[in-house]
Amino acid sequence: MSSLGNSTNIFWHECPVGKPDRQKLLQQKGCVVWITGLSGSGKSTLACSIGRELHSRGKLSYVLDGDNLRHGLNKDLGFKGEDRAENIRRVGEVAKLFADAGLICIASLISPYRKDRDACRSLLPDASFIEVFMNMPLEVCEKRDAKGLYKLAREGKIKGFTGIDDPYEPPLNCEIEIQQHHGICPAPNVMAGQVLSYLEEKGFLHA
């Protein structure tokens, strides 16, 4: 007797309109731009800047912001290790669907653990997963502290905060690394330009 919770009796259903058809319609190639880095490193700012620039070029994208997703899709998850892993797993699966739809999906999450990011990468053809590392020093991120979270973490009012009492594992082979130049953070449009240049070079902005 089968159980409703058992997925072994579920089969993939192919539709006649596939990813190549959607990409031809949109005149672009679906992919995932995964932005990772410490809180306050500029992930959301970069994600929105990329989205704005793509829109101005007539390219369809969608931003999956970590904080925004915790208001809906992931509102049942906390910040323990297993919850963080599930948070990233869900976002990875959603991002994969957006890419399959032909969109340029921009995922902006701290995603501190390398194995979780690598698991998301494994969901797509390798070239379609573009990891962007916001390599900003902890002291810079902590000085910004727009949400006041670092202060709370230093005071012990938040436990398991990435960069303070929980580790951040930087990428080993990211496609794009963004960092300070002579102690100055690049402007949002400059950072977005770096990502768009990569997308253009790799052919994602054309069908």
Side-chain angles (χ1 to χ4, degrees):
M1 184 170 68
S2 64
S3 166
L4 288 176
N6 190 335
S7 64
T8 57
N9 297 321
I10 297 174
F11 302 92
W12 187 267
H13 183 80
E14 289 291 347
C15 293
V17 177
K19 184 178 180 180
D21 303 296
R22 293 186 285 270
Q23 292 183 149
K24 184 177 180 181
L25 178 68
L26 295 170
Q27 287 298 297
Q28 62 185 51
K29 291 186 176 69
C31 65
V32 174
V33 177
W34 191 281
I35 307 172
T36 176
L38 294 171
S39 177
S41 61
K43 298 182 302 299
S44 296
T45 298
L46 174 58
C48 291
S49 296
I50 295 170
R52 188 185 311 113
E53 181 60 31
L54 286 169
H55 182 77
S56 72
R57 297 191 186 191
K59 302 302 175 184
L60 190 58
S61 68
Y62 195 85
V63 174
L64 296 175
D65 182 85
D67 281 358
N68 291 353
L69 290 166
R70 283 184 175 273
H71 285 275
L73 178 68
N74 295 331
K75 66 180 180 180
D76 60 322
L77 300 176
F79 291 91
K80 294 180 180 178
E82 59 269 28
D83 279 2
R84 289 187 175 197
E86 175 61 12
N87 178 51
I88 300 306
R89 187 196 70 80
R90 291 183 192 178
V91 178
E93 291 287 354
V94 172
K96 175 187 175 182
L97 293 175
F98 272 112
D100 187 60
L103 276 70
I104 297 170
C105 180
I106 308 159
S108 168
L109 304 97
I110 294 174
S111 41
Y113 308 137
R114 198 174 293 125
K115 64 180 177 61
D116 295 334
R117 299 192 304 268
D118 288 346
C120 291
R121 180 186 288 274
S122 71
L123 295 173
L124 294 101
D126 192 54
S128 296
F129 187 92
I130 300 125
E131 190 172 28
V132 180
F133 176 30
M134 297 295 291
N135 188 7
M136 298 295 163
L138 174 61
E139 56 269 24
V140 170
C141 300
E142 191 167 358
K143 186 177 180 180
R144 291 173 177 171
D145 203 15
K147 303 171 187 175
L149 300 178
Y150 281 103
K151 183 176 184 293
L152 293 174
R154 291 293 187 188
E155 293 171 349
K157 296 177 181 177
I158 296 178
K159 300 296 184 183
F161 191 78
T162 303
I164 303 300
D165 59 348
D166 202 71
Y168 176 81
E169 300 171 354
L172 299 178
N173 294 292
C174 61
E175 282 71 20
I176 301 171
E177 181 175 356
I178 294 176
Q179 53 191 328
Q180 292 182 317
H181 297 285
H182 306 295
I184 299 173
C185 298
N189 65 307
V190 173
M191 295 189 294
Q194 187 175 340
V195 176
L196 263 77
S197 292
Y198 182 93
L199 294 175
E200 181 73 55
E201 177 188 339
K202 298 299 180 180
F204 290 105
L205 303 186
H206 308 280

